[in-house]
Amino acid sequence: MQAENKKSRFTYDKSKLSQISFPLGGIGSGCVGVSGTGRLVDWEIFNRPNKGGMNGFSHFAIRAESRGKLLDARVLQGDLPPPYLGSMARSGNNGYGFGPDRETLAGLPHFAQTTFEGSYPLATLTFKDKAFPGTVALQAFNPFIPLNDKDSSIPAAFFEFTVTNTTSQSLDYTLAGSLGFPLPVKSAHTARTAGGISAVQLQAEGLEDGDTRCGNLTLATDAAKVSHQEYWYRGSWFDSLEIYWRDLTTPGLFKNRQYPEAGRNNHGLLAVHLRLKPGQTRKVRFVISWSFPVCENYWDREKTEKLAKETGVPPRWRNYYATLWKDSLASATYALEAWTRLRDSTDLFHRTLFNSSLPAVVLEAVSANMSILKSPTVLRLEDGTLYGFEGCCSSSGCCAGSCTHVWNYAQAHAFLFPALARSMREVDYRYNQQADGGMPFRIMLPLGLKHPGGFSCADGLFSNVMLVYRDWKLSGDTSWLRAIWPSVKKSIEFAWAPTNNHRWDPEKTGVLWGRQHHTLDMELYGPSSWLCGFYLGALKAAAEMAEHLGEADTSREFAGLYAKGKQWLEANLFNGEYYQQQVDIKDRGVLKAFEAEDAYWDAEHGEIKYQIDEGCAIDQTLAQYHATLYGLGEVFEPGRNRKALKALFRNNFHKSMRNIYNPCRLYSINDEGGMAICSWPDGKRKPAIPLTYAQETMHGFEYAAAVQLIQNGLVREGLAVVESIRDRYDGERRNPWNEIECGSHYARSMASYGLLNALSGFECDLVRGHIGFRPAQMTGGRFQCFWSVGSGWGEVEIRPKKVSLRVLQGTLTLQSMALKLANADRDLTVTLGRRRIPARREGDVVFFEKPVTLREGSELRVE
């Protein structure tokens, strides 16, 4: 990645700081945001979103003094971005017309210049001010270590400050952290030092056991010289902040303050003191950790409590992190004691990812959307199972239930934390599948409640089969597949089950008919390449899995249905330019069979509503996106698929939305570009009321289309789509670490990880010990990229006459490796360390005489 591209894509200043909130927290553990100017914002740590939520006056500050005389003191943040009239979300004398909230600390001295460099999972801020005698930088992160989901789930924000004395005299500096309690309950504060770690813990008081508000926060450091205040001053009006500033600007150690009883709106303080010689630099570590262990289904409380009572399933459950660390002090202690290892592993992943020779905009899209795993979109249940909303409303999750027709687009969690992806499959088939194989597309919480029944959606149900195939190939774990296989097979058979009142494929044609619910929240009536493609992909994947498990008859049945359905689809749904839907929108009788006339019949125009008909839909060959990523092979005829993708880019992609009509939700406006969900080229029939969301530009759909474009050699077009998305998230118009759709941190955007695999031509089948790289483009004959599978991760480096495969963490056992090689007639030399590995070459595939195991730190070279 070129340095200038990195600077422009990942460095923000001035007006580009205004929308930044960089999430710091663990997978399913909640998070705190660090803003573009250094403020601590969006305190989303108590098991639900809290957009715009502040935690009192929580912040960091710095003081410089010389020989007992104050030189300067400042809050470690930059200028508050406008507007300055106040918040419309608040009322009374804290709302609009009363100026910025005092909790922003914009009224305290702060730094004039702030620069933010964010390349997830690391954020680096620099603070400069002519009045301050020194420079300060902050690196903020939470461990993000592929395959290590425990250490990547710590409920904490990590802060490392770097202070440099730029003067000609020795100075004393104090870095002070202040932490409030974010809930409107009493809190009691305790300071303690043990094992070289100093901490102030804030504990909720006066609540019954099991109350979801029960919890605590800890501010901790491993610095040598510290002081603390268990409580800020208690008073009225502006008293607490007045005395805090007086204490901060008084040279020397802070004097502790205690109160005999817990109180509300309290803050605690922990300060680190250090002396620096001229030109000397020191680092200081702080951790803010939290523990709110009890969760409940607040979004559907009445229904789930009723079901829980009937079934005996407890209505509340514990966070996964609460099974690892008893409270916030324990997780803070763990974080500080393991800091070096956690930081080094995170930095190794970060360095490997960003050293990839991928376009900067791709690295931005891939890395930014990994942060969704650290947002309130995601929970980890008591046994560690990954559970997700679709996205986040401002104070609640949006669209609960690990929705199958949204999460099926996402790839980041599956390749970086494969065990978590498998956990989603396991609970879906165990708790959500119905007796006939149908599966409502939202799983219920608390875990253990069997869904009482509901719509099965075609894309969600069949994509789950393809995801099982993906997760099996990534892990190589056939015992896992064997355990889940009966449920997978049953879900395929639901297509023709007599109890399937959607009548998908009662005659076993290999084609989806009838009523088909899907991710655009309505139903299609009649076959489409989009949903039929998922059916075909599931049949093909299931046929291979059945064969591997020794079920030859089942394999032949599914393979035969796949072949029959594919033949019909290609003969009937390709219009010479792209794939479309087959439906007579004038036939009201189609709806009568499903008693759907009230919802779908447009009497004024005499048409069925919400259909694709002859439209060019963004997901028309989405099943091929999945199939290619997972090594399943062809679902659509390759030449036609490529032709359809060209038509999609030509008809649906707009460089500017300024003159594009969109009555739906607005995800790109003005001169921003994007790819629309569906278009109807000139001469094609368009329903009066077309497919839902047709004119929107939803990012997960766009990324999946971009991945397919790249997979089919249309790299320039694919990158144009990616760039149009990420240009919207420039820090000024939108937050670069919060791609939206139906809410914030939308799960579907994790489809962006597929860009990395598409550009590297990555293939993986650990069932047969195979990995491969066929880059879509090279730079000067060279390519370098990060990779990750179920047993290990590392990097590949491809040069004209040499390929190096490195395992940086974990292990990798191989029997073959596919490479984009020149000189097909040349012999190859394969070495592991100093050991020669016997191998033969068949085209672009290298076969090893015996299985080869690469361990952590080892390198396999092909020359």
mmCIF file of all heavy atoms in Angstrom, residues 454-493:
data_model
loop_
_atom_site.group_PDB
_atom_site.id
_atom_site.type_symbol
_atom_site.label_atom_id
_atom_site.label_comp_id
_atom_site.label_asym_id
_atom_site.label_seq_id
_atom_site.Cartn_x
_atom_site.Cartn_y
_atom_site.Cartn_z
ATOM 1 N N GLY A 454 -42.832 -19.455 12.321
ATOM 2 C CA GLY A 454 -42.852 -18.211 11.566
ATOM 3 C C GLY A 454 -42.347 -18.453 10.165
ATOM 4 O O GLY A 454 -42.019 -19.579 9.793
ATOM 5 N N PHE A 455 -42.261 -17.383 9.400
ATOM 6 C CA PHE A 455 -41.831 -17.490 8.013
ATOM 7 C C PHE A 455 -40.404 -18.017 7.916
ATOM 8 O O PHE A 455 -39.514 -17.570 8.630
ATOM 9 C CB PHE A 455 -41.893 -16.103 7.356
ATOM 10 C CG PHE A 455 -43.113 -15.907 6.500
ATOM 11 C CD1 PHE A 455 -44.346 -16.408 6.881
ATOM 12 C CD2 PHE A 455 -43.036 -15.213 5.304
ATOM 13 C CE1 PHE A 455 -45.471 -16.222 6.090
ATOM 14 C CE2 PHE A 455 -44.146 -15.008 4.505
ATOM 15 C CZ PHE A 455 -45.380 -15.519 4.901
ATOM 16 N N SER A 456 -40.214 -18.961 7.003
ATOM 17 C CA SER A 456 -38.867 -19.299 6.554
ATOM 18 C C SER A 456 -38.581 -18.439 5.331
ATOM 19 O O SER A 456 -39.438 -18.301 4.459
ATOM 20 C CB SER A 456 -38.780 -20.775 6.170
ATOM 21 O OG SER A 456 -38.998 -21.609 7.283
ATOM 22 N N CYS A 457 -37.410 -17.851 5.287
ATOM 23 C CA CYS A 457 -37.063 -17.062 4.103
ATOM 24 C C CYS A 457 -36.105 -17.883 3.243
ATOM 25 O O CYS A 457 -35.219 -18.572 3.756
ATOM 26 C CB CYS A 457 -36.457 -15.714 4.480
ATOM 27 S SG CYS A 457 -34.890 -15.789 5.326
ATOM 28 N N ALA A 458 -36.309 -17.813 1.951
ATOM 29 C CA ALA A 458 -35.560 -18.662 1.036
ATOM 30 C C ALA A 458 -34.062 -18.376 1.078
ATOM 31 O O ALA A 458 -33.240 -19.302 1.147
ATOM 32 C CB ALA A 458 -36.104 -18.491 -0.380
ATOM 33 N N ASP A 459 -33.702 -17.096 1.016
ATOM 34 C CA ASP A 459 -32.274 -16.780 0.999
ATOM 35 C C ASP A 459 -31.613 -17.134 2.323
ATOM 36 O O ASP A 459 -30.487 -17.629 2.357
ATOM 37 C CB ASP A 459 -32.018 -15.324 0.612
ATOM 38 C CG ASP A 459 -32.883 -14.324 1.363
ATOM 39 O OD1 ASP A 459 -33.807 -14.744 2.079
ATOM 40 O OD2 ASP A 459 -32.653 -13.104 1.211
ATOM 41 N N GLY A 460 -32.305 -16.919 3.446
ATOM 42 C CA GLY A 460 -31.720 -17.240 4.741
ATOM 43 C C GLY A 460 -31.564 -18.726 4.963
ATOM 44 O O GLY A 460 -30.502 -19.205 5.386
ATOM 45 N N LEU A 461 -32.607 -19.504 4.666
ATOM 46 C CA LEU A 461 -32.566 -20.939 4.923
ATOM 47 C C LEU A 461 -31.529 -21.630 4.057
ATOM 48 O O LEU A 461 -30.720 -22.429 4.542
ATOM 49 C CB LEU A 461 -33.957 -21.542 4.702
ATOM 50 C CG LEU A 461 -34.103 -23.029 5.026
ATOM 51 C CD1 LEU A 461 -35.452 -23.324 5.665
ATOM 52 C CD2 LEU A 461 -33.950 -23.869 3.759
ATOM 53 N N PHE A 462 -31.519 -21.326 2.758
ATOM 54 C CA PHE A 462 -30.591 -22.022 1.865
ATOM 55 C C PHE A 462 -29.161 -21.501 1.997
ATOM 56 O O PHE A 462 -28.197 -22.253 1.832
ATOM 57 C CB PHE A 462 -31.083 -21.944 0.424
ATOM 58 C CG PHE A 462 -32.345 -22.740 0.191
ATOM 59 C CD1 PHE A 462 -33.485 -22.137 -0.300
ATOM 60 C CD2 PHE A 462 -32.391 -24.090 0.491
ATOM 61 C CE1 PHE A 462 -34.645 -22.864 -0.490
ATOM 62 C CE2 PHE A 462 -33.549 -24.829 0.303
ATOM 63 C CZ PHE A 462 -34.687 -24.221 -0.191
ATOM 64 N N SER A 463 -29.017 -20.216 2.304
ATOM 65 C CA SER A 463 -27.650 -19.719 2.515
ATOM 66 C C SER A 463 -27.030 -20.360 3.740
ATOM 67 O O SER A 463 -25.814 -20.582 3.789
ATOM 68 C CB SER A 463 -27.636 -18.196 2.647
ATOM 69 O OG SER A 463 -28.293 -17.776 3.835
ATOM 70 N N ASN A 464 -27.845 -20.699 4.753
ATOM 71 C CA ASN A 464 -27.304 -21.366 5.934
ATOM 72 C C ASN A 464 -26.625 -22.689 5.547
ATOM 73 O O ASN A 464 -25.613 -23.073 6.129
ATOM 74 C CB ASN A 464 -28.414 -21.621 6.954
ATOM 75 C CG ASN A 464 -28.181 -20.865 8.257
ATOM 76 O OD1 ASN A 464 -27.180 -20.163 8.411
ATOM 77 N ND2 ASN A 464 -29.091 -21.012 9.191
ATOM 78 N N VAL A 465 -27.174 -23.385 4.577
ATOM 79 C CA VAL A 465 -26.563 -24.625 4.105
ATOM 80 C C VAL A 465 -25.199 -24.314 3.492
ATOM 81 O O VAL A 465 -24.202 -25.017 3.743
ATOM 82 C CB VAL A 465 -27.466 -25.327 3.082
ATOM 83 C CG1 VAL A 465 -26.775 -26.573 2.523
ATOM 84 C CG2 VAL A 465 -28.804 -25.694 3.715
ATOM 85 N N MET A 466 -25.140 -23.240 2.690
ATOM 86 C CA MET A 466 -23.865 -22.865 2.083
ATOM 87 C C MET A 466 -22.865 -22.410 3.139
ATOM 88 O O MET A 466 -21.652 -22.631 3.003
ATOM 89 C CB MET A 466 -24.095 -21.778 1.029
ATOM 90 C CG MET A 466 -25.015 -22.217 -0.108
ATOM 91 S SD MET A 466 -25.217 -20.966 -1.392
ATOM 92 C CE MET A 466 -23.669 -21.141 -2.289
ATOM 93 N N LEU A 467 -23.346 -21.795 4.212
ATOM 94 C CA LEU A 467 -22.451 -21.351 5.280
ATOM 95 C C LEU A 467 -21.918 -22.545 6.067
ATOM 96 O O LEU A 467 -20.771 -22.520 6.540
ATOM 97 C CB LEU A 467 -23.166 -20.371 6.208
ATOM 98 C CG LEU A 467 -23.673 -19.072 5.569
ATOM 99 C CD1 LEU A 467 -24.244 -18.141 6.618
ATOM 100 C CD2 LEU A 467 -22.580 -18.374 4.766
ATOM 101 N N VAL A 468 -22.736 -23.569 6.249
ATOM 102 C CA VAL A 468 -22.228 -24.797 6.858
ATOM 103 C C VAL A 468 -21.081 -25.352 6.017
ATOM 104 O O VAL A 468 -20.037 -25.763 6.550
ATOM 105 C CB VAL A 468 -23.356 -25.844 6.993
ATOM 106 C CG1 VAL A 468 -22.775 -27.213 7.348
ATOM 107 C CG2 VAL A 468 -24.351 -25.417 8.067
ATOM 108 N N TYR A 469 -21.263 -25.358 4.708
ATOM 109 C CA TYR A 469 -20.212 -25.807 3.792
ATOM 110 C C TYR A 469 -18.958 -24.963 3.980
ATOM 111 O O TYR A 469 -17.844 -25.496 4.079
ATOM 112 C CB TYR A 469 -20.733 -25.706 2.360
ATOM 113 C CG TYR A 469 -19.765 -26.142 1.285
ATOM 114 C CD1 TYR A 469 -19.713 -27.474 0.871
ATOM 115 C CD2 TYR A 469 -18.914 -25.223 0.667
ATOM 116 C CE1 TYR A 469 -18.826 -27.877 -0.130
ATOM 117 C CE2 TYR A 469 -18.029 -25.621 -0.325
ATOM 118 C CZ TYR A 469 -17.994 -26.946 -0.714
ATOM 119 O OH TYR A 469 -17.117 -27.343 -1.704
ATOM 120 N N ARG A 470 -19.114 -23.634 4.034
ATOM 121 C CA ARG A 470 -17.974 -22.733 4.254
ATOM 122 C C ARG A 470 -17.260 -23.056 5.555
ATOM 123 O O ARG A 470 -16.021 -23.206 5.589
ATOM 124 C CB ARG A 470 -18.462 -21.281 4.296
ATOM 125 C CG ARG A 470 -17.384 -20.262 4.652
ATOM 126 C CD ARG A 470 -18.000 -18.909 5.039
ATOM 127 N NE ARG A 470 -18.749 -18.992 6.294
ATOM 128 C CZ ARG A 470 -19.520 -18.013 6.759
ATOM 129 N NH1 ARG A 470 -19.659 -16.885 6.072
ATOM 130 N NH2 ARG A 470 -20.169 -18.161 7.910
ATOM 131 N N ASP A 471 -18.032 -23.170 6.636
ATOM 132 C CA ASP A 471 -17.427 -23.355 7.952
ATOM 133 C C ASP A 471 -16.754 -24.717 8.074
ATOM 134 O O ASP A 471 -15.756 -24.873 8.773
ATOM 135 C CB ASP A 471 -18.493 -23.169 9.036
ATOM 136 C CG ASP A 471 -19.096 -21.762 9.019
ATOM 137 O OD1 ASP A 471 -18.470 -20.857 8.439
ATOM 138 O OD2 ASP A 471 -20.193 -21.584 9.575
ATOM 139 N N TRP A 472 -17.297 -25.710 7.382
ATOM 140 C CA TRP A 472 -16.672 -27.034 7.336
ATOM 141 C C TRP A 472 -15.334 -26.965 6.605
ATOM 142 O O TRP A 472 -14.314 -27.481 7.081
ATOM 143 C CB TRP A 472 -17.637 -28.007 6.653
ATOM 144 C CG TRP A 472 -17.086 -29.356 6.331
ATOM 145 C CD1 TRP A 472 -16.427 -30.199 7.179
ATOM 146 C CD2 TRP A 472 -17.171 -30.033 5.067
ATOM 147 N NE1 TRP A 472 -16.091 -31.375 6.516
ATOM 148 C CE2 TRP A 472 -16.535 -31.300 5.228
ATOM 149 C CE3 TRP A 472 -17.726 -29.705 3.826
ATOM 150 C CZ2 TRP A 472 -16.440 -32.217 4.178
ATOM 151 C CZ3 TRP A 472 -17.635 -30.621 2.800
ATOM 152 C CH2 TRP A 472 -16.998 -31.861 2.969
ATOM 153 N N LYS A 473 -15.309 -26.321 5.455
ATOM 154 C CA LYS A 473 -14.076 -26.227 4.669
ATOM 155 C C LYS A 473 -13.004 -25.418 5.403
ATOM 156 O O LYS A 473 -11.804 -25.730 5.326
ATOM 157 C CB LYS A 473 -14.373 -25.590 3.316
ATOM 158 C CG LYS A 473 -15.255 -26.435 2.401
ATOM 159 C CD LYS A 473 -14.521 -27.646 1.855
ATOM 160 C CE LYS A 473 -15.362 -28.406 0.844
ATOM 161 N NZ LYS A 473 -14.620 -29.480 0.185
ATOM 162 N N LEU A 474 -13.420 -24.368 6.108
ATOM 163 C CA LEU A 474 -12.450 -23.539 6.817
ATOM 164 C C LEU A 474 -11.841 -24.252 8.020
ATOM 165 O O LEU A 474 -10.709 -23.973 8.406
ATOM 166 C CB LEU A 474 -13.119 -22.241 7.287
ATOM 167 C CG LEU A 474 -13.201 -21.098 6.276
ATOM 168 C CD1 LEU A 474 -14.005 -19.940 6.838
ATOM 169 C CD2 LEU A 474 -11.807 -20.620 5.889
ATOM 170 N N SER A 475 -12.614 -25.151 8.616
ATOM 171 C CA SER A 475 -12.129 -25.846 9.807
ATOM 172 C C SER A 475 -11.549 -27.215 9.495
ATOM 173 O O SER A 475 -10.678 -27.705 10.221
ATOM 174 C CB SER A 475 -13.272 -26.014 10.810
ATOM 175 O OG SER A 475 -14.263 -26.900 10.299
ATOM 176 N N GLY A 476 -12.067 -27.852 8.441
ATOM 177 C CA GLY A 476 -11.674 -29.228 8.147
ATOM 178 C C GLY A 476 -12.246 -30.225 9.138
ATOM 179 O O GLY A 476 -11.826 -31.388 9.176
ATOM 180 N N ASP A 477 -13.231 -29.794 9.922
ATOM 181 C CA ASP A 477 -13.771 -30.599 11.022
ATOM 182 C C ASP A 477 -14.990 -31.386 10.546
ATOM 183 O O ASP A 477 -16.132 -30.912 10.637
ATOM 184 C CB ASP A 477 -14.132 -29.692 12.191
ATOM 185 C CG ASP A 477 -14.491 -30.466 13.454
ATOM 186 O OD1 ASP A 477 -14.706 -31.687 13.351
ATOM 187 O OD2 ASP A 477 -14.569 -29.839 14.527
ATOM 188 N N THR A 478 -14.766 -32.591 10.072
ATOM 189 C CA THR A 478 -15.866 -33.414 9.576
ATOM 190 C C THR A 478 -16.734 -33.934 10.714
ATOM 191 O O THR A 478 -17.930 -34.181 10.522
ATOM 192 C CB THR A 478 -15.321 -34.568 8.726
ATOM 193 O OG1 THR A 478 -14.648 -34.014 7.577
ATOM 194 C CG2 THR A 478 -16.429 -35.479 8.237
ATOM 195 N N SER A 479 -16.188 -34.099 11.902
ATOM 196 C CA SER A 479 -17.008 -34.526 13.042
ATOM 197 C C SER A 479 -18.053 -33.467 13.364
ATOM 198 O O SER A 479 -19.191 -33.794 13.740
ATOM 199 C CB SER A 479 -16.134 -34.815 14.263
ATOM 200 O OG SER A 479 -15.440 -33.646 14.683
ATOM 201 N N TRP A 480 -17.675 -32.194 13.234
ATOM 202 C CA TRP A 480 -18.644 -31.103 13.434
ATOM 203 C C TRP A 480 -19.740 -31.180 12.376
ATOM 204 O O TRP A 480 -20.933 -31.064 12.691
ATOM 205 C CB TRP A 480 -17.927 -29.752 13.357
ATOM 206 C CG TRP A 480 -18.860 -28.582 13.421
ATOM 207 C CD1 TRP A 480 -19.419 -28.040 14.546
ATOM 208 C CD2 TRP A 480 -19.346 -27.810 12.326
ATOM 209 N NE1 TRP A 480 -20.228 -26.984 14.214
ATOM 210 C CE2 TRP A 480 -20.206 -26.814 12.860
ATOM 211 C CE3 TRP A 480 -19.155 -27.843 10.946
ATOM 212 C CZ2 TRP A 480 -20.860 -25.867 12.054
ATOM 213 C CZ3 TRP A 480 -19.797 -26.908 10.147
ATOM 214 C CH2 TRP A 480 -20.644 -25.937 10.692
ATOM 215 N N LEU A 481 -19.350 -31.395 11.131
ATOM 216 C CA LEU A 481 -20.335 -31.501 10.064
ATOM 217 C C LEU A 481 -21.261 -32.688 10.297
ATOM 218 O O LEU A 481 -22.485 -32.573 10.129
ATOM 219 C CB LEU A 481 -19.632 -31.650 8.716
ATOM 220 C CG LEU A 481 -20.567 -31.915 7.520
ATOM 221 C CD1 LEU A 481 -21.478 -30.728 7.277
ATOM 222 C CD2 LEU A 481 -19.750 -32.240 6.268
ATOM 223 N N ARG A 482 -20.703 -33.813 10.695
ATOM 224 C CA ARG A 482 -21.516 -35.019 10.896
ATOM 225 C C ARG A 482 -22.576 -34.776 11.977
ATOM 226 O O ARG A 482 -23.717 -35.251 11.852
ATOM 227 C CB ARG A 482 -20.614 -36.191 11.268
ATOM 228 C CG ARG A 482 -21.364 -37.509 11.406
ATOM 229 C CD ARG A 482 -20.416 -38.687 11.576
ATOM 230 N NE ARG A 482 -19.757 -39.031 10.307
ATOM 231 C CZ ARG A 482 -18.486 -38.834 10.064
ATOM 232 N NH1 ARG A 482 -17.702 -38.270 10.984
ATOM 233 N NH2 ARG A 482 -17.952 -39.167 8.898
ATOM 234 N N ALA A 483 -22.226 -34.025 13.021
ATOM 235 C CA ALA A 483 -23.172 -33.774 14.107
ATOM 236 C C ALA A 483 -24.333 -32.897 13.669
ATOM 237 O O ALA A 483 -25.465 -33.064 14.123
ATOM 238 C CB ALA A 483 -22.440 -33.131 15.291
ATOM 239 N N ILE A 484 -24.060 -31.973 12.765
ATOM 240 C CA ILE A 484 -25.078 -31.014 12.350
ATOM 241 C C ILE A 484 -25.799 -31.444 11.075
ATOM 242 O O ILE A 484 -26.845 -30.893 10.722
ATOM 243 C CB ILE A 484 -24.405 -29.621 12.184
ATOM 244 C CG1 ILE A 484 -25.397 -28.496 12.404
ATOM 245 C CG2 ILE A 484 -23.715 -29.478 10.847
ATOM 246 C CD1 ILE A 484 -24.744 -27.128 12.451
ATOM 247 N N TRP A 485 -25.271 -32.456 10.396
ATOM 248 C CA TRP A 485 -25.754 -32.843 9.075
ATOM 249 C C TRP A 485 -27.238 -33.217 9.010
ATOM 250 O O TRP A 485 -27.934 -32.799 8.072
ATOM 251 C CB TRP A 485 -24.892 -33.967 8.513
ATOM 252 C CG TRP A 485 -25.458 -34.572 7.253
ATOM 253 C CD1 TRP A 485 -25.940 -35.832 7.081
ATOM 254 C CD2 TRP A 485 -25.608 -33.916 5.998
ATOM 255 N NE1 TRP A 485 -26.380 -36.014 5.803
ATOM 256 C CE2 TRP A 485 -26.194 -34.841 5.109
ATOM 257 C CE3 TRP A 485 -25.316 -32.636 5.528
ATOM 258 C CZ2 TRP A 485 -26.488 -34.542 3.789
ATOM 259 C CZ3 TRP A 485 -25.610 -32.326 4.204
ATOM 260 C CH2 TRP A 485 -26.189 -33.267 3.353
ATOM 261 N N PRO A 486 -27.785 -34.005 9.946
ATOM 262 C CA PRO A 486 -29.205 -34.343 9.834
ATOM 263 C C PRO A 486 -30.107 -33.110 9.752
ATOM 264 O O PRO A 486 -31.095 -33.115 8.996
ATOM 265 C CB PRO A 486 -29.477 -35.151 11.107
ATOM 266 C CG PRO A 486 -28.147 -35.756 11.449
ATOM 267 C CD PRO A 486 -27.151 -34.699 11.085
ATOM 268 N N SER A 487 -29.782 -32.085 10.478
ATOM 269 C CA SER A 487 -30.576 -30.845 10.428
ATOM 270 C C SER A 487 -30.370 -30.116 9.112
ATOM 271 O O SER A 487 -31.310 -29.533 8.558
ATOM 272 C CB SER A 487 -30.193 -29.936 11.602
ATOM 273 O OG SER A 487 -30.487 -30.556 12.836
ATOM 274 N N VAL A 488 -29.138 -30.123 8.598
ATOM 275 C CA VAL A 488 -28.853 -29.481 7.313
ATOM 276 C C VAL A 488 -29.653 -30.162 6.207
ATOM 277 O O VAL A 488 -30.285 -29.499 5.371
ATOM 278 C CB VAL A 488 -27.340 -29.533 7.004
ATOM 279 C CG1 VAL A 488 -27.055 -28.964 5.619
ATOM 280 C CG2 VAL A 488 -26.550 -28.759 8.065
ATOM 281 N N LYS A 489 -29.635 -31.490 6.201
ATOM 282 C CA LYS A 489 -30.362 -32.243 5.179
ATOM 283 C C LYS A 489 -31.863 -31.958 5.272
ATOM 284 O O LYS A 489 -32.534 -31.794 4.248
ATOM 285 C CB LYS A 489 -30.086 -33.734 5.346
ATOM 286 C CG LYS A 489 -30.749 -34.593 4.284
ATOM 287 C CD LYS A 489 -30.199 -36.010 4.247
ATOM 288 C CE LYS A 489 -30.657 -36.814 5.446
ATOM 289 N NZ LYS A 489 -30.337 -38.268 5.264
ATOM 290 N N LYS A 490 -32.362 -31.866 6.489
ATOM 291 C CA LYS A 490 -33.787 -31.602 6.671
ATOM 292 C C LYS A 490 -34.175 -30.229 6.128
ATOM 293 O O LYS A 490 -35.264 -30.047 5.582
ATOM 294 C CB LYS A 490 -34.146 -31.698 8.153
ATOM 295 C CG LYS A 490 -35.639 -31.580 8.432
ATOM 296 C CD LYS A 490 -35.937 -31.600 9.928
ATOM 297 C CE LYS A 490 -35.715 -32.977 10.507
ATOM 298 N NZ LYS A 490 -36.139 -33.029 11.930
ATOM 299 N N SER A 491 -33.281 -29.268 6.255
ATOM 300 C CA SER A 491 -33.598 -27.929 5.747
ATOM 301 C C SER A 491 -33.685 -27.921 4.226
ATOM 302 O O SER A 491 -34.490 -27.185 3.648
ATOM 303 C CB SER A 491 -32.562 -26.903 6.231
ATOM 304 O OG SER A 491 -31.292 -27.128 5.662
ATOM 305 N N ILE A 492 -32.891 -28.735 3.556
ATOM 306 C CA ILE A 492 -33.004 -28.874 2.099
ATOM 307 C C ILE A 492 -34.356 -29.486 1.745
ATOM 308 O O ILE A 492 -35.078 -29.011 0.856
ATOM 309 C CB ILE A 492 -31.868 -29.761 1.551
ATOM 310 C CG1 ILE A 492 -30.512 -29.054 1.660
ATOM 311 C CG2 ILE A 492 -32.153 -30.152 0.100
ATOM 312 C CD1 ILE A 492 -30.234 -28.023 0.608
ATOM 313 N N GLU A 493 -34.716 -30.519 2.464
ATOM 314 C CA GLU A 493 -35.951 -31.242 2.172
ATOM 315 C C GLU A 493 -37.196 -30.431 2.467
ATOM 316 O O GLU A 493 -38.288 -30.762 1.984
ATOM 317 C CB GLU A 493 -35.961 -32.557 2.956
ATOM 318 C CG GLU A 493 -34.862 -33.512 2.522
ATOM 319 C CD GLU A 493 -34.641 -34.673 3.473
ATOM 320 O OE1 GLU A 493 -35.129 -34.587 4.626
ATOM 321 O OE2 GLU A 493 -33.970 -35.653 3.072
#
